Amino acid sequence: MADTTETPGIAVQSSFAADLLDRFRRSAEYVVIPLLALVFSGILFSIFLLTLGKSPADFFSLVWRGGFGTSFSWQNTLVRSAPFIFTALCVAVPARLGLVIIGGEGALVLGGFAAAAIAIPMVDWAPGFLLLGVMVIAAMLAGGLWIGCVGALRHYRGVNETIASLLMFYIAVSILNFFVEGALRDPSDPNKPSTRPIGSDNMIGAIPGTDVHWGLLIGVVLCGLLYLLMNRTTFGFAAQIAGGNLRAAQAQGLPVGRLVVVSCAIAGACAGLAGFFEVAAIHGKANASLIAGYGFTGILVSFLARHNPLVIIPVAIFLGGIAASGGLIQRRMDLPDATVLVLQGLLFLVILVSETFYGRFAIFRSKGGVL
């Protein structure tokens, strides 16, 4: 009698343990494969350095020192991480619907330009909080409309969103150059075409006790909010269904077109915010310095984080540290500052190849063989 009463409890515990183990095994795949990709990228880059007669050990030591070794290095890393977070979100949000947006750099450039342009007539009379508020709205609207148009082209005209977003980046750069070299050029700066500065009194200050501007904190908060939006709301659930099977989503009556356009608009608004902080916290005006490649690095950040808004934060900091170490590497190893871009390119290539390995290893499969 005692044996029959204990069996159900033991079976339940055994089933729970097996289910927990299966969940852990499936989740481990999304950690192990990216880590192996990072290691393999490091090996490939080490071979590249050896062909140049440089020491890989010295290089990676300088990356650590330049990105994470001191308080100054950390702050420089965090400043560089902020735009990576925003532009990575520009990739991650549409990715939930299966869209590959690589034109976040264009939304950043246009957002920064819109923020600077709308500030010009307000600089002489508007209080700082009003000026910055209007700049934020202008940047988010510009970026949101820009990438939102990519989503509209994708849904209503069948235009490939990857190609469209990339081509629109060049249009955004042309718009910036047209105005900063023409009607909105600051005549007091003959060396570099720029808009008029917004003024030091209107610049966004740093987080107290640091040299890191508030854009980093806003980016972290935004990652949390978008994670909740895409994982804990009906909008996110509908986007996931549409991304998994578009025809099934349409058959269930989901507003696929609205989901695509709104997701792209949210993504563009995130990249537009990056442009706003570049103007309001770094440069103080719009010029060619906005075209710094942050949007393209954001693609790597998002893919390395597997489009998870929460994982984007540490990945952005990691790549921000690599970018921050470029100057030190240039001085100590007599290598171009763009050497770190070669490392980022290898990372991106290996990460893309590693996507083909998901689901191929038996060790990561559940007991039933279903991922």
Side-chain angles (χ1 to χ4, degrees), residues 1 13 41 63 68 131 142 144 166 176 207 211 232 244 253 315 335-336 368:
M1 190 71 177
Q13 292 179 1
S41 301
V63 167
F68 310 100
L131 179 69
L166 179 61
L176 171 70
I207 299 172
D211 292 327
R232 295 292 186 269
V315 173
L335 286 170

Side-chain angles (χ1 to χ4, degrees), residues 148-173:
C149 286
V150 174
L153 288 171
R154 173 67 177 87
H155 179 72
Y156 296 108
R157 305 301 301 173
V159 179
N160 182 278
E161 74 281 355
T162 306
I163 296 174
S165 61
L166 179 61
L167 293 179
M168 288 183 70
F169 156 67
Y170 294 103
I171 299 175
V173 170

Side-chain angles (χ1 to χ4, degrees), residues 7-286:
T7 301
I10 295 173
V12 169
Q13 292 179 1
S14 177
S15 176
F16 175 76
D19 182 64
L20 190 63
L21 182 61
D22 285 344
R23 287 176 179 269
F24 176 77
R25 186 183 292 115
R26 294 195 301 268
S27 300
E29 181 179 38
Y30 299 105
V31 176
V32 173
I33 290 180
L35 287 178
L36 290 176
L38 289 176
V39 172
F40 187 67
S41 301
I43 294 172
L44 289 178
F45 190 73
S46 296
I47 296 172
F48 169 73
L49 289 175
L50 290 172
T51 61
L52 298 177
K54 304 295 181 179
S55 169
D58 290 344
F59 178 87
F60 289 112
S61 174
L62 290 174
V63 167
W64 172 257
R65 288 175 56 189
F68 310 100
T70 65
S71 174
F72 174 80
S73 299
W74 263 105
Q75 293 184 73
N76 192 17
T77 292
L78 293 177
V79 169
R80 290 174 179 265
S81 301
F84 294 166
I85 291 175
F86 289 111
T87 54
L89 289 173
C90 184
V91 180
V93 174
R96 180 59 63 93
L97 289 99
L99 303 177
V100 182
I101 301 293
I102 64 172
E105 181 86 352
L108 184 155
V109 169
L110 210 59
F113 169 70
I118 203 168
I120 291 174
M122 300 176 63
V123 168
D124 296 329
W125 60 269
F129 71 90
L130 178 61
L131 179 69
L132 291 174
V134 172
M135 289 175 66
V136 167
I137 295 172
M140 293 181 69
L141 283 176
L145 289 172
W146 200 247
I147 303 299
C149 286
V150 174
L153 288 171
R154 173 67 177 87
H155 179 72
Y156 296 108
R157 305 301 301 173
V159 179
N160 182 278
E161 74 281 355
T162 306
I163 296 174
S165 61
L166 179 61
L167 293 179
M168 288 183 70
F169 156 67
Y170 294 103
I171 299 175
V173 170
S174 298
I175 292 173
L176 171 70
N177 291 333
F178 176 82
F179 283 102
V180 299
E181 294 178 6
L184 298 182
R185 181 168 183 170
D186 181 11
S188 65
D189 188 2
N191 297 321
K192 187 173 185 178
S194 306
T195 61
R196 283 178 53 196
I198 65 173
S200 56
D201 293 338
N202 297 317
M203 295 285 288
I204 293 177
I207 299 172
T210 72
D211 292 327
V212 182
H213 62 76
W214 287 96
L216 177 70
L217 184 60
I218 299 299
V220 170
V221 172
L222 189 59
C223 283
L225 293 176
L226 288 178
Y227 175 83
L228 293 176
L229 175 67
M230 304 308 291
N231 293 276
R232 295 292 186 269
T233 65
T234 55
F235 176 86
F237 180 68
Q240 186 175 9
I241 293 176
N245 192 321
L246 184 61
R247 292 190 175 182
Q250 291 173 332
Q252 293 180 14
L254 293 177
V256 175
R258 189 190 312 163
L259 288 170
V260 169
V261 174
V262 171
S263 295
C264 288
I266 292 173
C270 292
L273 268 178
F276 161 75
F277 282 109
E278 286 299 297
V279 169
I282 305 295
H283 304 296
K285 51 190 173 182

Side-chain angles (χ1 to χ4, degrees), residues 283-309:
H283 304 296
K285 51 190 173 182
N287 52 36
S289 297
L290 290 174
I291 314 167
Y294 293 139
F296 297 112
T297 304
I299 302 170
L300 174 58
V301 172
S302 183
F303 272 86
L304 193 56
R306 292 196 58 79
H307 311 306
N308 185 323

Side-chain angles (χ1 to χ4, degrees), residues 301-340:
V301 172
S302 183
F303 272 86
L304 193 56
R306 292 196 58 79
H307 311 306
N308 185 323
L310 296 183
V311 183
I312 280 174
I313 300 169
V315 173
I317 293 174
F318 170 68
L319 290 179
I322 293 177
S325 64
L328 183 62
I329 290 169
Q330 183 180 26
R331 295 191 300 271
R332 298 293 181 85
M333 297 189 69
D334 194 26
L335 286 170
D337 186 38
T339 304
V340 295

